[in-house]
Amino acid sequence: MTTGYVFHPEYLWHDTGTSAGVVLANPAAGIAPAVHIENPEAKRRVHELIHAPGLLGELMIIEPRRATVAELLRVHTEAYVQHIKTQSDLHGGGDAGDGYSPVGHGSYDIARLAAGGLIELVTAAVHGDITNGYALVRPPGHHATADAGMGFCLFNSIAVAARHAQAELGLARIAVVDWDAHHGNGTQAIFYDDPSVLTISLHQANCFPPDSGWTTENGVGEGAGYALNVPLPPGSGHAAYLHAMHQVVLPALNRFAPDLILLANGFDAGVFDPMARQMLTAASYREMTRLLIDAADRLCHGRLVAAHEGGYSPFYTPYCALAFLEELAATTTHVTDPLAVVVAGYAAEPLTPQQQAAIGEATQLVSRLHSRVTTS
Ligand SMILES: [Zn+2]
C-alpha cells in the first residue's frame, strides 16, 4: 500500500493580501487591515509537520502540473476561466466573484497547479502507482461553481479531477465526501443533475454559504437523490460527526458503490478554527479517516484521494492533518496532539437530540438512494 502526496511551494504564493477578517479593511469603518484569513500559514505548517517528523519519506511524492484550459472547461465556463485569468493578470490582483475571494497576481497559474495536482494524484491512484493520496493544495475549490468563484475558492479542483477521471481514466461512478465545516455548494451545483457523481456534504448548518446545504437539496432530474447534505448544528463534535459517518456517509457509499472516493478535506470543523463553530479534534479526523479508508478498501480498491480545502487555525489544523495522513498511510510519527488533553471534554460531548434529528433527516434520503440504485 502506497500513499501519494502532492505539494508545491507555489501553493503558498497565492497572495490573498490583507483584510479585516473576511471583509475589506476600511479606514472609514475604523478597522485596520490584517493578514487575510485564508493565508499560507496553516498550510505551510501542515507541510512542515508532515516533513519534520519523517512522514514525508514514507509517502510517494507526486509532482503537480498545471491543469490545461481544456481540463478546466470540463467543469467551468469559458467566461469564468477567462475572468480568473484577467483578474490574475492585474498588477494588484482582483476577485473571483463574490468580493471575498481574492485572486492574487499570478493566482490563475497557481489555481491551475492545484487542480492539476489533484488530476495527477487521481491518475496515480487509478493507474495503481498509489493506493490513496493527499493533495495539500491552495487555493481551495469546493465553493467554486461552474461560473463563479466564492468563499476563497477559484477553480473547483475536485470537480475537475472527477471529470478527468471519467473522461480519461475510464471511471464511471465517483463519490465526493466533503467534511469541510462549510457546505460544498460548488461541487454540489456542478453535479446536481448528474447521477454519476454522488456528493455528500457534512457541514455546520447555515454557516457558509448562508442558506445553503439543507437536507432538502437532494439533486434534480437524473441526479435526483445523488446530492446528500447533513447540516449539523453549531457545536457539533466527535459524537455527531461519527454518527453522521455511520448513519449517512457509509451507507450512502455502500449503496452508490463508487469507483473512486474523493474527499474535500477541510479541517475547519476543528475545535480551534476561527471560521466555524464545530468541535472536532485530531482524533476525530483520525477516526473518520479510518472509516473512509475501510469504505474505499471495500468498494474501490482503496482509492481515496483527498484535496485540502479549509482549515484556518495555524496551530491546530496541522495536528488534524497529520492525524489524517498518518491514518491514510497506515503509519505513525512520534508527534501526538498536545492539545488532546485540553479538548478531551469537548470530544466526549454526547450526541444531542438536535444533532440526531438533523442526521436522521439525511438518513431517510439514503434509503431512497438505495432503491434508485438497486432498481436501475
Ligand atoms: Zn471551510
Side-chain angles (χ1 to χ4, degrees):
M1 199 209 81
T2 308
T3 295
Y5 179 63
V6 170
F7 179 72
H8 195 284
E10 277 191 32
Y11 294 150
L12 306 179
W13 301 351
H14 165 54
D15 184 0
T16 48
T18 57
S19 73
V22 293
V23 298
L24 286 176
N26 182 351
I31 189 83
V35 65
H36 194 281
I37 199 139
E38 200 294 297
N39 64 70
E41 194 58 8
K43 274 65 78 168
R44 182 197 323 280
R45 291 165 64 94
V46 168
H47 178 71
E48 289 175 354
L49 195 57
I50 291 166
H51 193 175
L55 179 54
L56 196 60
E58 297 187 45
L59 309 173
M60 180 178 284
I61 307 298
I62 305 290
E63 287 297 328
R65 64 170 172 83
R66 299 191 205 286
T68 65
V69 170
E71 287 166 343
L72 297 177
L73 292 180
R74 289 197 182 109
V75 166
H76 295 289
T77 63
E78 206 164 348
Y80 178 65
V81 172
Q82 187 55 48
H83 171 71
I84 296 298
K85 181 165 186 335
T86 304
Q87 299 291 295
S88 166
D89 286 345
L90 297 171
H91 180 68
D95 191 272
D98 63 350
Y100 302 102
S101 304
V103 180
H105 184 59
S107 287
Y108 170 72
D109 279 341
I110 302 173
R112 287 170 59 214
L113 193 67
L118 199 61
I119 287 176
E120 289 299 296
L121 196 60
V122 164
T123 303
V126 174
H127 287 168
D129 302 329
I130 58 171
T131 308
N132 55 34
Y134 176 35
L136 177 53
V137 293
R138 184 172 170 270
H142 74 146
H143 293 307
T145 64
D147 61 0
M150 63 188 296
F152 317 149
C153 297
L154 307 191
F155 296 135
N156 195 313
S157 299
I158 281 205
V160 170
R163 284 298 187 223
H164 180 85
Q166 291 181 321
E168 304 292 337
L169 303 172
L171 300 194
R173 299 160 76 88
I174 294 170
V176 180
V177 176
D178 187 326
W179 62 36
D180 186 281
H182 307 104
H183 179 221
N185 65 295
T187 320
Q188 172 178 293
I190 288 162
F191 300 115
Y192 209 48
D193 61 356
D194 184 347
S196 73
V197 180
L198 170 69
T199 61
I200 312 171
S201 181
L202 311 183
H203 48 265
Q204 182 178 320
N206 207 10
C207 182
F208 186 87
D211 199 20
S212 178
W214 302 112
T215 314
T216 47
E217 297 166 27
N218 197 212
V220 291
E222 292 284 298
Y226 293 89
L228 292 171
N229 287 292
V230 190
L232 294 163
S236 294
H238 189 90
Y241 273 80
L242 265 293
H243 191 64
M245 289 294 292
H246 283 290
Q247 296 298 309
V248 180
V249 178
L250 300 179
L253 289 175
N254 286 342
R255 286 156 191 181
F256 185 70
D259 301 314
L260 166 72
I261 300 173
L262 292 173
L263 173 64
N265 198 15
F267 295 106
D268 44 13
V271 62
F272 293 106
D273 202 277
M275 294 298 282
R277 284 295 171 270
Q278 303 300 56
M279 291 164 56
L280 295 184
T281 66
S284 311
Y285 283 104
R286 187 184 299 279
E287 204 167 324
M288 289 157 62
T289 304
R290 180 76 252 155
L291 296 174
L292 277 192
I293 291 169
D294 291 344
D297 283 346
R298 221 170 35 242
L299 299 167
C300 50
H301 314 286
R303 289 176 196 145
L304 169 61
V305 176
H308 193 91
E309 296 283 356
Y312 306 94
S313 167
F315 66 92
Y316 198 59
T317 295
Y319 291 111
C320 297
L322 184 72
F324 162 78
L325 193 53
E326 283 183 349
E327 199 64 31
L328 198 66
T331 187
T332 51
T333 65
H334 64 272
V335 177
T336 55
D337 173 8
L339 295 166
V341 62
V342 178
V343 297
Y346 306 173
E349 187 90 359
L351 198 63
T352 68
Q354 290 82 357
Q355 293 164 350
Q356 216 156 3
I359 295 164
E361 269 183 46
T363 307
Q364 299 303 313
L365 297 170
V366 176
S367 23
R368 279 196 252 161
L369 173 68
H370 176 54
S371 58
R372 276 191 187 87
V373 171
T374 51
T375 54
S376 64

